[in-house]
Amino acid sequence: MVTQSEENYLKTIYHLGKQGVEAVSTNAIAEQMETKASSVTDMVKKLAEKDLANYVKYQGVSLTKVGRLTAASVIRKHRLWEVFLVNKLKFSWDEVHEVAEQLEHIKSEQLIDKLDEFLDFPKVDPHGDAIPDKEGNFAKISKKLLSECASGEEGIFVGVKDSSASFLQYLDKQHISLGDKIKILHREEFDQSVEIMVNSSLLNISQKTATNIYLQQK
Amino acid sequence: MVTQSEENYLKTIYHLGKQGVEAVSTNAIAEQMETKASSVTDMVKKLAEKDLANYVKYQGVSLTKVGRLTAASVIRKHRLWEVFLVNKLKFSWDEVHEVAEQLEHIKSEQLIDKLDEFLDFPKVDPHGDAIPDKEGNFAKISKKLLSECASGEEGIFVGVKDSSASFLQYLDKQHISLGDKIKILHREEFDQSVEIMVNSSLLNISQKTATNIYLQQK
DNA sequence: CTTATTTTTTAGTCTAATCTAAAAAAATAT
DNA sequence: ATATTTTTTTAGATTAGACTAAAAAATAAG
C-alpha cells in the first residue's frame, strides 16, 4: 500500500524531474514540499525500498516505471477532481487546488473510472493541463498563451496562467468562459492589446489579459 | 484540528450511544471498530482532553455538544457522498460504503455546501437514513419496512435493509428503484407475500423481499 | 590542490496511533 | 462476603513521519 505521504513525494519527484525520469536533488524536493532535507532522505529511502524510486546516496532520486505510473495516477485523480469541482460544483479555478489535493488520495479504481465517465472523459483540467489516461499517458496538448498567437489563429480557451479572483471575475464579466472558441482578429502594435472574437462577439483585451489566457489549438 | 482517526471514534460513539448522549463502554467501541480496548482508552482520553467527549474512568464515554456536532458533520458528509456515488456516479448501494468512508474525511466546508446543492439538498441517503443538516439536526424520517405496512398504506421507497448484490439485481429486474412510490394493495395471510403497486403496475413480492424494503411515509 | 561552502546524510527525538501483556477495578457467582 | 470472571486501564513497545543538530560528502573558491 502506498501511503498518502508517499504519493505526495512521488508526485513532486514526477513534476520536478521531467516525469520522474531525471534525477532530482533532495533539497529541491524539500523546498518544493516545504519540508526538511532530512525528512526527504528518509522518505526517499523508503520509496527505493518499495521499488518506486531509484536512489543513490548523494546523487538524487528518479522514479521507477511503477513509481511513474503511481505518480501519474495521482495526478490523473487530482485533475479529474478539479474538473468535477469547477464544472459540476461551480468552484472557481483558484479555489480547487487544496480540495483536489485531498481528494487525489481517495483509493478506489472504480470511483475514478466512474468519475471520468461522469465528466465525459475530459482531456484537460481547468488550468489547461493534460489529464493522463489510466496508463499514465498524457495527450499532447499544444496550449499556447493568447499573447503568443498571431492574428488569424484560433483556439479553445482551456486555462488561465495566474488565476486570481479578480481576473476570474473579469473574465466572467466579459462572458469569456472555459471551452469558448476564441479567434485572434488583430494585434495592436502600440499597446499589445488584442482584438478577439468570442461567442460571435467582438472584444478588445489588454496585453495583461492576453498573457493570462491559454488557448488549445487542435 | 480533528484527525481522521478522531472523527472515526466520534462517529462510532455517536452511533452506539443514542447520538452520543448515552455513555458507551470501551469494549463496545473496540468491538465496533475492530480495534483493541487499550487503543480506545487512549483515544478517549484524547477526545476528553479536546473537550469532544466526557470520560470518567471505568464509566464509559459520551460526547459533548461540540463532539456531537462534529460527529453529525462527519455523518452528514458520509451520507451526502453516498447520494453522490449512487445518484450521479451510478454506484450500486452495496459498493458505496467504503468509498464514502474515505470521502467523509475531506476537509472543506465549501465542498460539502456545494455538493449538497448539486445533489438538490437530499434528506435521505441511499439506505434510507436521514442526512443531518449543518446544525446536526436530523429530519424525522418515518421509515418503515414494507412488511410492516398495512394494506392501503403507501410510501416512497427510500432504502433497503440488507443490500446484497443479488437483491439489488432483483429489484432492478422488477423495475423497482429508489424514489418510487409504492402502495400496499393486499397482504396474503398464508405466505406473507404482498401485492403492491409500483409505477402504475401490479407486482407480487415475497415476504423476504418485503422485509428488505424501507418505505418513507409523508 | 587545499580550504571554504553547500548539500546531503546520519543519529537521536518527538508525536500520533496502534499493539501486547500485566495490573487494577468492577461485576458476577458461589 | 469472598472468590472468580470480565472489563478497563496502565505500562511499555512499535511504526510512520517529521524534526534538530551534527557529521560526512560533494562542490566551489582561492
Side-chain angles (χ1 to χ4, degrees):
Chain A
M1 230 273 291
V2 183
T3 69
Q4 199 153 314
S5 183
E6 286 165 355
E7 287 187 344
N8 284 331
Y9 276 93
L10 289 174
K11 211 176 43 161
T12 302
I13 298 168
Y14 190 94
H15 280 134
L16 289 178
K18 315 245 160 186
Q19 327 244 99
V21 175
E22 264 178 24
V24 175
S25 83
T26 305
N27 252 9
I29 299 169
E31 192 179 347
Q32 176 72 29
M33 298 186 71
E34 296 186 312
T35 181
K36 293 299 153 79
S38 55
S39 308
V40 176
T41 302
D42 284 351
M43 180 53 91
V44 145
K45 281 180 182 170
K46 200 161 55 131
L47 293 177
E49 192 62 44
K50 289 190 174 186
D51 282 319
L52 294 165
N54 311 112
Y55 169 59
V56 184
K57 264 191 193 181
Y58 296 105
Q59 285 175 225
V61 216
S62 62
L63 299 183
T64 63
K65 191 169 282 184
V66 181
R68 282 198 299 274
L69 217 94
T70 309
S73 146
V74 177
I75 293 167
R76 171 174 161 78
K77 289 185 224 166
H78 182 103
R79 296 187 176 164
L80 282 174
W81 280 117
E82 284 199 344
V83 173
F84 170 71
L85 294 173
V86 169
N87 292 6
K88 302 292 182 180
L89 297 197
K90 308 302 176 194
F91 272 74
S92 70
W93 301 336
D94 54 332
E95 299 170 322
V96 295
H97 189 73
E98 57 168 338
V99 181
E101 207 65 13
Q102 295 179 62
L103 287 163
E104 72 187 7
H105 300 295
I106 302 291
K107 280 167 183 52
S108 166
E109 273 269 334
Q110 207 191 353
L111 174 62
I112 285 305
D113 290 347
K114 287 183 183 262
L115 182 65
D116 193 24
E117 183 179 354
F118 181 62
L119 299 172
D120 215 11
F121 309 105
K123 294 286 165 279
V124 276
D125 76 8
H127 304 100
D129 296 316
I131 298 173
D133 65 18
K134 291 179 78 170
E135 282 72 42
N137 303 307
F138 288 78
K140 265 273 171 292
I141 303 272
S142 54
K143 85 178 174 182
K144 215 154 79 170
L145 285 175
L146 199 157
S147 56
E148 291 164 350
C149 296
S151 58
E153 287 188 55
E154 59 179 24
I156 308 290
F157 173 30
V158 289
V160 291
K161 194 170 166 195
D162 181 33
S163 56
S164 67
S166 61
F167 179 55
L168 300 178
Q169 280 156 21
Y170 166 76
L171 290 177
D172 224 42
K173 214 158 54 191
Q174 301 298 325
H175 303 104
I176 304 178
S177 33
L178 217 58
D180 286 352
K181 186 192 252 187
I182 295 180
K183 181 167 188 174
I184 288 81
L185 299 179
H186 176 69
R187 305 178 56 90
E188 186 54 57
E189 273 305 312
F190 128 83
D191 64 353
Q192 305 294 324
S193 69
V194 189
E195 194 178 37
I196 61 175
M197 167 81 88
V198 201
N199 299 319
S200 54
S201 66
L202 287 173
L203 215 65
N204 204 282
I205 59 175
S206 69
Q207 189 207 7
K208 188 165 176 189
T209 300
T211 55
N212 260 330
I213 290 180
Y214 277 117
L215 296 186
Q216 178 190 338
Q217 298 173 311
K218 267 246 228 25
Chain B
M1 231 275 291
V2 183
T3 69
Q4 199 154 314
S5 182
E6 285 166 355
E7 286 186 346
N8 285 331
Y9 275 94
L10 289 174
K11 210 175 45 161
T12 302
I13 297 167
Y14 189 95
H15 280 134
L16 289 177
K18 317 245 160 183
Q19 327 244 100
V21 175
E22 264 178 26
V24 176
S25 82
T26 304
N27 252 9
I29 299 169
E31 192 179 348
Q32 176 72 29
M33 298 185 72
E34 297 186 313
T35 180
K36 294 300 154 80
S38 55
S39 308
V40 176
T41 304
D42 284 351
M43 179 54 90
V44 145
K45 281 180 182 170
K46 201 160 54 130
L47 293 177
E49 191 64 42
K50 289 192 175 185
D51 283 319
L52 293 165
N54 310 113
Y55 170 58
V56 184
K57 266 190 193 183
Y58 297 104
Q59 283 176 226
V61 216
S62 60
L63 298 183
T64 63
K65 193 171 282 183
V66 181
R68 281 198 299 274
L69 218 94
T70 309
S73 146
V74 177
I75 293 166
R76 171 173 161 78
K77 290 185 224 166
H78 182 105
R79 295 185 177 165
L80 283 174
W81 279 117
E82 284 199 343
V83 173
F84 170 71
L85 294 173
V86 170
N87 291 7
K88 302 293 180 178
L89 297 197
K90 308 301 175 194
F91 272 75
S92 70
W93 300 336
D94 54 333
E95 299 169 322
V96 295
H97 189 73
E98 56 169 339
V99 181
E101 209 61 20
Q102 296 179 62
L103 286 164
E104 73 188 8
H105 300 294
I106 302 291
K107 278 165 184 55
S108 166
E109 273 269 336
Q110 207 192 353
L111 173 63
I112 285 306
D113 291 347
K114 288 187 182 252
L115 182 65
D116 193 23
E117 184 179 354
F118 181 61
L119 299 172
D120 216 11
F121 309 105
K123 294 286 165 279
V124 275
D125 75 9
H127 305 100
D129 296 316
I131 299 173
D133 66 17
K134 291 179 77 170
E135 282 71 44
N137 304 308
F138 289 78
K140 264 276 171 291
I141 303 270
S142 55
K143 84 179 178 185
K144 214 155 81 171
L145 284 175
L146 199 156
S147 57
E148 291 164 350
C149 297
S151 56
E153 287 188 55
E154 60 180 21
I156 308 291
F157 174 29
V158 291
V160 290
K161 193 170 168 191
D162 181 33
S163 55
S164 67
S166 61
F167 179 55
L168 300 179
Q169 280 155 22
Y170 166 76
L171 290 177
D172 224 42
K173 214 158 56 193
Q174 302 298 323
H175 303 106
I176 304 178
S177 32
L178 216 58
D180 286 352
K181 186 190 251 188
I182 295 180
K183 180 164 189 176
I184 288 79
L185 298 179
H186 177 69
R187 305 179 55 93
E188 187 54 59
E189 274 302 312
F190 127 83
D191 65 354
Q192 305 295 324
S193 69
V194 188
E195 194 178 36
I196 60 175
M197 167 80 87
V198 202
N199 299 320
S200 54
S201 66
L202 286 173
L203 215 66
N204 205 284
I205 59 175
S206 69
Q207 189 205 10
K208 187 166 178 189
T209 301
T211 56
N212 260 329
I213 290 179
Y214 277 116
L215 297 185
Q216 178 191 336
Q217 297 174 312
K218 265 243 233 33

